[in-house]
Amino acid sequence: LVLLGASLAMSATAIATKDAQVNAVVALLVALVVAGSFSICLSPVIAKFSAFTLLQSSLHLSISGPAFYFLTDTPEEYPEGPHFSMLFYNATLGCMGSFATLFGLYTYNRYSSQISYRAIIVVSNTVFSLLHLADMVLFSRMNVQIGIPDCFFAFGNQSLGTMIYQWLWMPQVGLFSQL
């Protein structure tokens, strides 16, 4: 019920106002209420891990919406852009992301038994953050200046991002299943 109320509160606020500060304050308050409800409704071990998962998920900012428009804008909309077709963006990059997801699951299952959950989470979060910083190279068009074509850069970024995300997601699934 707490999560339903949180979702409804954030949705109602987003519908009622377009002010980013108001939406941010409501989102922060909702996150605090949800985190507080973890300590009230769950056992301490599960509550701590749920709070960590909430914090980790909240700090992973997604720019997939603006990136879609940047990558698919026409020459009239953004002359220096990559100008990917919708088919290429959705089908080709989407398929590459699906294969990378499977490869991420495979590598996690193959190598995770030799590494602690803490190390996997720390390394995966660090790599995931650095990978998102690489988006600056694409958006600033530095990849073209250094000779990396847009499609190769997008393939690498899409594939590595989804693979690393699996490394972040699987320890959470494993730990929750043991709690």
Side-chain angles (χ1 to χ4, degrees):
L1 291 174
V2 173
L3 292 178
L4 173 64
S7 297
L8 292 175
M10 289 178 52
S11 297
T13 304
I15 291 170
T17 181
K18 299 296 180 208
D19 186 6
Q21 288 181 331
V22 171
N23 283 303
V25 167
V26 169
L28 182 61
L29 290 173
V30 163
L32 291 173
V33 167
V34 169
S37 70
F38 289 158
S39 63
I40 295 169
C41 301
L42 302 173
S43 69
V45 173
I46 295 174
K48 288 177 187 177
F49 190 70
S50 296
F52 169 77
T53 301
L54 174 68
L55 182 64
Q56 177 179 315
S57 300
S58 299
L59 294 177
H60 281 191
L61 304 176
S62 173
I63 58 168
S64 60
F68 169 78
Y69 290 107
F70 174 80
L71 294 171
T72 59
D73 275 350
T74 63
E76 295 80 34
E77 295 164 331
Y78 185 63
E80 295 87 27
H83 315 299
F84 292 155
S85 70
M86 298 285 185
L87 179 67
F88 175 80
Y89 183 84
N90 290 313
T92 308
L93 290 180
C95 285
M96 288 299 294
S98 296
F99 287 125
T101 296
L102 294 174
F103 186 69
L105 291 171
Y106 167 76
T107 55
Y108 178 83
N109 286 328
R110 175 79 169 93
Y111 299 108
S112 66
S113 63
Q114 303 159 6
I115 306 169
S116 70
Y117 279 149
R118 180 174 289 162
I120 291 171
I121 289 171
V122 168
V123 170
S124 297
N125 274 308
T126 304
V127 172
F128 198 68
S129 299
L130 292 174
L131 191 60
H132 279 298
L133 288 176
D135 285 335
M136 291 188 315
V137 174
L138 179 66
F139 297 144
S140 67
R141 310 303 291 141
M142 286 175 44
N143 64 308
V144 174
Q145 294 172 0
I146 59 176
I148 302 172
D150 292 323
C151 61
F152 290 136
F153 199 84
F155 274 137
N157 210 6
Q158 176 74 18
S159 300
L160 288 174
T162 55
M163 183 177 75
I164 300 298
Y165 185 75
Q166 293 308 309
W167 296 349
L168 286 170
W169 180 67
M170 288 304 293
Q172 293 175 10
V173 171
L175 284 173
F176 270 126
S177 69
Q178 293 176 11
L179 295 177

